[in-house]
Amino acid sequence: MDAQPVGQKADGYRGIWYYIGKTGNAYAHKYSGGLGTYPANHYPFSVYAPAVQKTFFCYGGVTDSTSTELGHFVGVYDHRTKLVSKPTWLLNKQTDDAHDNPIIQLDDNGYIWIFSTSHGTERPSYIHRSRKPYDIAAFERIPATRQNEVGQRVPFDNFSYVQSYYQPGHGFLNLMTHYDRGVLRYGASKPRRTMSFITSPDGISWSAWQDIGQIQEGHYQTSGQRGGTIGTSFNFHPDTEKGSGLDYRTNLYYVETTDFGKSWHTAGQEPVSLPLTEPKNKALVNDYQQAGLNVYISDLNFDADGHPVILYITSKGPEPGPGQGPHQWHVAHWTGADWVIHDVAQSDHNYDMGSLYINGNNWQIIGPVEPGPQSYGTGGSLVRLESRDAGKTWRPSRQLTPGSTRNHAYPRRPVAYQPGFVAFWADGNARQQSASYLYFCDETGQVYQLPPTMKTDQEKPVPVFGRPNK
């Protein structure tokens, strides 16, 4: 079903509540809650623009407490005035599926781009660009095209799990998934999702899909950028009698490009030939299939030397609750010679996604590593962890959401983040449908709620959960 364009101001900030997978037990759903900044395979949700000292952001939301239809919304926070604008309601996606959440990117002229994703092929996807630089008041739909497999130009109107990167002089490189339903490729026994990338100099004319991986039933990828390097970490879905299907995701892989997708190599600079089609290949960081563990990737960043660091969670299976725990957080760090893996913390859910921050020898994670009011549910109580020894040991340095009545989930790191806006996320009841509010925090750990109802065009976000200890 086509989305309905809206293009008007909303009267405040309210996130989408979403669930998937009823369990029939005390945990209610495989995962659920306030998922306005979900999933980890979408990035970015926010971008800082130094030219105007503003952070632009987008999210999946609703218009009021009675609605369950996913809207795509765009907001802006002014670091000079400390004010947030009323959000622009870009479109009604005609679904309640938070997999269709949007992402945001800025080009070098200051135009704001919104990529409206789709969960598979049932609904179309959209690309919008702001009519003016650094201005969220109005957007225009971009009639984008891509090259198909026989060199023809076709509409670029379906894409999933998008991660968008912009490089001046080159344009956009978007990592994403396309679905091969009814098409068997690379010796597959059944149709599956293909992990790919696609490029464009202007956001209008796009290249053909260029496949990165198609191992058995497909992949989830989570990526990052440092300068001219774009790296992607990913798992795969095994096609075996034990542990098959999309709920079973295992192994950890990494590849990167330093020439805008012309060639790809491992962290150790060993060239790889794409697409990858076998579970054992040069990109393999760690074999978790042999250990019988699921892998859920949260974030990818780079250390001071430009070496990749992957944040991820392992567990014994897809079901919520303690039975398939522990839900162990790890960082995998390429040292320049090999991959080393360090334990970080334990939480209580597979989808307890966190974000990784690296500034010199100060590494930080913001994530729900402590149980929230809905224990064994998606998200929890947000904590900031710190490491001063390249991820070997970690300690909690700040409780961000003490006393909350709802779980907090999917705290996201902005592109080029600044001290006043370092993470952006939503909350929600992880057991049953609830209101969902949106938040950001500054570098001190002070959390601010974006106003759910606004009487004026610009208002101050509200400090919540107490001020951090000095």
Side-chain angles (χ1 to χ4, degrees), residues 36-334:
T37 58
Y38 161 92
N41 326 98
H42 286 194
Y43 185 79
F45 283 90
S46 50
V47 180
Y48 176 74
V52 292
Q53 297 180 47
K54 295 179 179 180
T55 295
F56 297 87
F57 56 92
C58 69
Y59 62 96
V62 295
T63 54
D64 58 55
S65 59
T66 65
S67 175
T68 59
E69 287 190 321
L70 174 67
H72 287 185
F73 295 85
V74 188
V76 57
Y77 174 72
D78 191 323
H79 290 253
R80 293 169 295 189
T81 66
K82 314 281 189 220
L83 297 174
V84 65
S85 70
K86 278 187 175 179
T88 296
W89 182 15
L90 182 62
L91 56 81
N92 181 337
K93 199 60 167 59
Q94 295 286 284
T95 181
D96 64 354
D97 189 346
H99 290 87
D100 281 34
N101 278 344
I103 64 161
I104 190 170
Q105 191 52 272
L106 268 66
D107 65 25
D108 54 2
N109 292 314
Y111 286 95
I112 304 157
W113 293 74
I114 302 295
F115 295 90
S116 295
T117 66
S118 298
H119 189 199
T121 59
E122 283 78 10
R123 294 178 293 275
S125 307
Y126 305 90
I127 301 174
H128 288 83
R129 181 182 61 194
S130 61
R131 292 189 179 275
K132 296 179 182 179
Y134 307 114
D135 188 342
I136 69 167
F139 288 80
E140 60 182 340
R141 182 177 170 186
I142 299 300
T145 63
R146 66 172 176 87
Q147 184 176 315
N148 67 11
E149 293 180 346
V150 296
Q152 299 169 325
R153 304 302 303 179
V154 297
F156 185 34
D157 58 3
N158 184 260
F159 43 80
S160 303
Y161 298 110
V162 180
Q163 298 137 68
S164 181
Y165 301 97
Y166 186 84
Q167 292 185 2
H170 293 287
F172 295 92
L173 188 153
N174 285 9
L175 298 158
M176 53 182 65
T177 296
H178 64 97
Y179 282 66
D180 297 324
R181 294 184 178 175
V183 179
L184 301 183
R185 308 175 70 187
Y186 313 125
S189 61
K190 62 182 71 172
R192 66 247 149 126
R193 57 188 70 191
T194 300
M195 181 181 72
S196 309
F197 74 97
I198 192 167
T199 61
S200 173
D202 55 11
I204 301 171
S205 179
W206 293 79
S207 71
W209 298 113
Q210 299 172 75
D211 296 341
I212 298 173
Q214 186 54 282
I215 302 172
Q216 295 186 17
E217 292 189 24
H219 308 267
Y220 288 111
Q221 65 178 331
T222 299
S223 56
Q225 179 180 25
R226 184 179 190 267
T229 300
I230 296 173
T232 181
S233 56
F234 50 98
N235 51 27
F236 88 106
H237 306 299
D239 183 9
T240 61
E241 290 184 3
K242 181 181 180 181
S244 64
L246 299 182
D247 270 344
Y248 292 89
R249 54 198 73 183
T250 191
N251 282 1
L252 185 67
Y253 301 91
Y254 176 84
V255 293
E256 66 182 29
T257 180
T258 54
D259 55 10
F260 206 65
K262 293 184 178 125
S263 64
W264 293 77
H265 50 263
T266 67
Q269 307 303 299
E270 187 175 2
V272 295
S273 178
L274 301 181
L276 300 166
T277 60
E278 298 296 330
K280 298 293 179 68
N281 60 65
K282 296 177 183 178
L284 183 63
V285 173
N286 198 59
D287 186 344
Y288 284 104
Q289 185 178 26
Q290 186 176 13
L293 294 177
N294 273 20
V295 174
Y296 301 81
I297 304 171
S298 288
D299 199 10
L300 168 63
N301 208 335
F302 296 85
D303 69 13
D305 295 319
H307 298 148
V309 185
I310 306 167
L311 174 65
Y312 61 103
I313 297 171
T314 59
S315 73
K316 295 176 183 176
E319 297 300 325
Q324 295 184 338
H327 302 91
Q328 180 67 54
W329 294 49
H330 314 265
V331 288
H333 179 208
W334 176 255

Side-chain angles (χ1 to χ4, degrees), residues 354-394:
S355 286
L356 175 64
Y357 301 75
I358 299 179
N359 294 293
N361 69 345
N362 182 12
W363 293 21
Q364 297 184 1
I365 292 169
I366 294 177
V369 296
E370 293 192 356
Q374 294 87 48
S375 60
Y376 298 107
T378 309
S381 181
L382 290 191
V383 178
R384 186 176 67 196
L385 305 174
E386 290 190 4
S387 174
R388 297 282 183 166
D389 55 8
K392 296 181 183 68
T393 60
W394 295 83

